[in-house]
Amino acid sequence: MMKPGRQTVIIDIISEKNIETQQQLIDELAARGIRSTQATLSRDIRDLKLIKEPSPDGRSRYVRKEEPEEEKKADDIMRVILKPSVKSYEAAQNIIVIKTFPGLASAACAAIDSMEIHGLVGTIAGDDTIFIAMKTSQLADEMVEKMHEIL
């Protein structure tokens, strides 16, 4: 199973059961027909921002760390506004180039400007292309990765 599907199942499992260990989670995935290695599961836990917290029975369990409100807002904007208008995107050092359908770059760029993205220096929009300047190449790569996950 591909990463997004596997991660959705992981969220379902930790919502339904108190999972204390990675091994329990691997076993639950296997019970649902999904094979996973410990290394893959560790990456999924990191990507999903899972943390351990005390459960009502005094043991610990995996839960999803709540995202800050501005991060949720940015994700929602990406899903609702950018997803239908973006054709492609790619980082070139600290610049992200986004190709949109004709006439949609300006609206998509305005949505990006409203997202309060950490490390964003500025944006420029044409008819079907957006340039996003980030402070560093690493921040540009992180933004592209986030776009890949959401779009």
Side-chain angles (χ1 to χ4, degrees):
M1 175 174 278
M2 298 299 290
K3 180 179 179 176
R6 184 180 62 249
Q7 289 184 350
T8 300
V9 173
I10 290 170
I11 295 296
D12 291 343
I13 290 170
I14 67 167
S15 298
E16 297 165 6
K17 298 184 175 195
N18 287 341
I19 302 294
E20 290 184 75
T21 66
Q22 288 186 8
Q23 187 59 51
Q24 285 177 316
L25 195 47
I26 287 172
D27 293 345
E28 286 294 327
L29 286 167
R32 296 174 189 218
I34 302 168
R35 292 176 36 110
S36 180
T37 66
Q38 188 276 328
T40 298
L41 186 59
S42 290
R43 283 190 294 275
D44 288 338
I45 288 170
R46 185 189 65 236
D47 291 348
L48 293 168
K49 298 182 175 97
L50 301 184
I51 60 171
K52 283 191 176 183
E53 74 172 17
S55 62
D57 64 5
R59 300 166 87 175
S60 63
R61 65 179 178 166
Y62 281 106
V63 295
R64 193 155 192 200
K65 180 180 173 185
E66 286 297 315
E67 294 178 340
E69 198 58 41
E70 65 272 2
E71 216 171 296
K72 287 182 185 177
K73 177 184 170 192
D75 290 356
D76 290 343
I77 289 171
M78 275 194 203
R79 279 187 197 94
V80 174
I81 297 173
L82 296 183
K83 191 171 186 172
S85 59
V86 170
K87 290 173 33 178
S88 66
Y89 47 89
E90 188 171 344
Q93 295 188 5
N94 71 315
I95 303 292
I96 301 169
V97 179
I98 300 175
K99 297 296 283 179
T100 69
F101 291 99
L104 297 178
S106 183
C109 191
I112 291 166
D113 287 337
S114 74
M115 292 167 57
E116 300 176 22
I117 298 168
H118 170 70
L120 181 109
V121 177
T123 60
I124 299 173
D127 182 58
D128 64 354
T129 306
I130 301 168
F131 289 104
I132 301 173
M134 302 295 288
K135 286 183 181 178
T136 67
S137 296
Q138 180 181 350
L139 289 169
D141 291 340
E142 289 171 9
M143 179 66 178
V144 166
E145 178 62 30
K146 183 170 186 126
M147 291 173 69
H148 182 69
E149 291 171 9
I150 294 174
L151 303 178

